[in-house]
Amino acid sequence: VVFSTSNEASICVAQEIASLIREKQANNAHCVLGLATGSSPIKVYEELVRMHNEEGLSFSNVITFNLDEYYPMDKNSMHSYFYFMHQHLFNHIDISPENIHIPSGTVSPEELHQYCIDYDLKIKEYGGLDFQLLGIGRTGHIGFNEPGSHYNSGTRSITLDHITREDAAPSFLGINNVPKKAITMGIGTVKKAKRIVLLAWGHNKASVVKETIEGEITSEVPATYLQNHANTTFILNEEASQDL
Ligand code: GLP
């Protein structure tokens, strides 16, 4: 779906999420959301916060699982996705802290493997992701599933692609400060979501958006795996759709 502006598009996505939360509330059920970081979802979070403040949208039944975190990474670092999510969403809504799940960048290397298995198990225990919000990296990654990721991969640690580290370099004040690794939900984890919405804005996403939507399904562009998910929508602004 192509919108003329990313603002309009983000408001529409926030409305879908709010409707889902309210529908689950009406049935006394949890709403399990998979959440993303990066610049793309910021306006969606801003709109959800507005709905909380002005329309009484409650997040008391919401359970969240974030896609990824740099590794190693301290929670309190301004570069952490933990910090990002609290700054843009969690600090401003009525979600219980115990309902928030973000991969921890401080797990010891020895515990990491089991930690990742447990992350997927926890999602399963809550009945799976009702809704997964995604952005897309220039390498075609979703979460931090870089080229080469298996379609059935679970949550795991991954080595970041050079392009991904280059894209992150400005906010880290130089590529040498960007962690070389991350923890990411797997493609298999994401694909089990009942509903997936991927956001892409701007000219610099146009070519990866074209490859993702029109190209062959390949591990070289992991987002192409979404082509055979039954309920995925790509939400684009005009610039991101210009090569289609
Ligand atoms: C990071 C995140 C991804 C995100 C991507 C795109 O690599 N791990 O989940 O989709 O950046 O970021 P942006 O939305 O800023 O373009």
Side-chain angles (χ1 to χ4, degrees), residues 54 57 74 85 88 94 97 99 110 124 143 148 164 169 178 191 208 213 220 228-229 233:
E54 295 176 16
L57 175 67
D74 197 81
M85 287 308 302
H88 290 284
D94 62 337
N99 289 345
E110 298 75 35
K124 211 172 159 191
T164 300
V178 181
K191 280 194 66 183
V208 77
I213 296 177
E220 287 314 298
N228 53 27
H229 181 271
T233 303

Side-chain angles (χ1 to χ4, degrees), residues 126-144:
Y126 279 109
L129 300 163
D130 294 305
F131 181 104
Q132 175 67 58
L133 189 61
L134 294 176
I136 184 167
R138 279 199 302 142
T139 59
H141 71 214
I142 48 177
F144 270 136

Side-chain angles (χ1 to χ4, degrees), residues 13 15 19 31 37 39 54 57 67 73 78 87 111 122 148 156-157 168 172 189 197 202 214 217 219:
V13 172
Q15 279 166 353
S19 303
C31 182
T37 49
S39 57
E54 295 176 16
L57 175 67
L67 278 169
M73 178 56 71
M78 60 181 284
Q87 189 194 24
E111 286 167 328
K122 223 178 279 171
R156 66 203 188 287
S157 72
F172 279 87
T189 317
V197 169
E214 297 178 0
I217 298 177
S219 68

